[in-house]
Amino acid sequence: MSESYKKYLSKNSVFFLNVKTKTELLDAMASRVVAEDSSLDKSELVTKLEEREELMSTGMGLGIGVPHLRYSAIKNPRVLVGICRSGIQDYESMDGQPVKIVAMILVGESQHQEYLKILSELMKKLKQDDVRKKILSASSPEEVYNILIG
């Protein structure tokens, strides 16, 4: 059975990032989202992501960050994956380690069940040591995409 996150992940939604802080990360990923959906307001999206992070960091440990949001302006779930090999030191992850793999999940306010399914299945994949090692040593976003889809 195919994981649900795969239907929301595209080759264009996987990319390498060159950011140093969580603020820069959220801004860069929000830019990607807005570039593909001009109906969204980037400033509002960043503010909502920052508000969510203030409630509790989404740094899950193992170098994984999962900023996520249920947001009324999102009509269809979105999954983006950013790779930051240098690591984001100020992410405040549970294990205190820098975040290098960021999986952003955006869903509409009424899509809570789909959100939980996407989060669960994506985390199951990313918690595998061999998957994280392959992702961090990948030479292109397409290679990362194929690792996640495979």
Side-chain angles (χ1 to χ4, degrees):
M1 187 169 153
S2 177
E3 293 90 354
S4 66
Y5 73 84
K6 292 179 181 179
K7 67 181 168 183
Y8 304 115
L9 188 67
S10 70
K11 289 181 181 178
N12 291 335
S13 61
V14 179
F15 42 87
F16 292 132
L17 292 163
N18 186 19
V19 296
K20 296 186 180 351
T21 68
K22 186 191 285 190
T23 299
E24 291 173 350
L25 166 77
L26 295 177
D27 188 79
M29 293 191 82
S31 291
R32 293 281 186 146
V33 173
V34 173
E36 292 185 12
D37 185 350
S38 61
S39 71
L40 298 172
D41 180 305
K42 180 186 164 191
S43 177
E44 184 175 284
L45 180 58
V46 170
T47 297
K48 290 194 173 294
L49 288 164
E50 289 173 339
E51 288 172 353
R52 170 59 190 90
E53 288 297 319
E54 286 174 13
L55 292 175
M56 178 185 245
S57 175
T58 59
M60 310 298 271
L62 303 172
I64 304 167
V66 188
H68 55 274
L69 189 63
R70 286 190 295 147
Y71 178 34
S72 61
I74 302 292
K75 302 303 176 210
N76 297 304
R78 302 281 315 272
V79 177
L80 295 90
V81 175
I83 310 303
C84 184
R85 289 190 177 119
S86 60
I88 300 165
Q89 301 289 334
D90 74 345
Y91 206 97
E92 302 176 66
S93 62
M94 292 170 55
D95 61 2
Q97 297 300 308
V99 166
K100 297 181 176 182
I101 301 170
V102 181
M104 179 178 278
I105 302 169
L106 303 172
V107 299
E109 286 185 326
S110 66
Q111 297 169 323
H112 188 67
Q113 292 299 320
E114 190 66 10
Y115 156 73
L116 290 175
K117 192 172 180 183
I118 293 168
L119 177 63
S120 171
E121 293 169 351
L122 193 53
M123 285 306 298
K124 183 177 178 183
K125 182 81 171 186
L126 292 174
K127 283 189 169 182
Q128 298 173 41
D129 287 340
D130 62 325
V131 169
R132 286 193 317 279
K133 287 177 185 171
K134 286 179 186 174
I135 287 172
L136 292 174
S137 64
S139 60
S140 69
E142 185 173 354
E143 189 177 341
V144 173
Y145 172 81
N146 289 332
I147 292 165
L148 291 169
I149 295 300

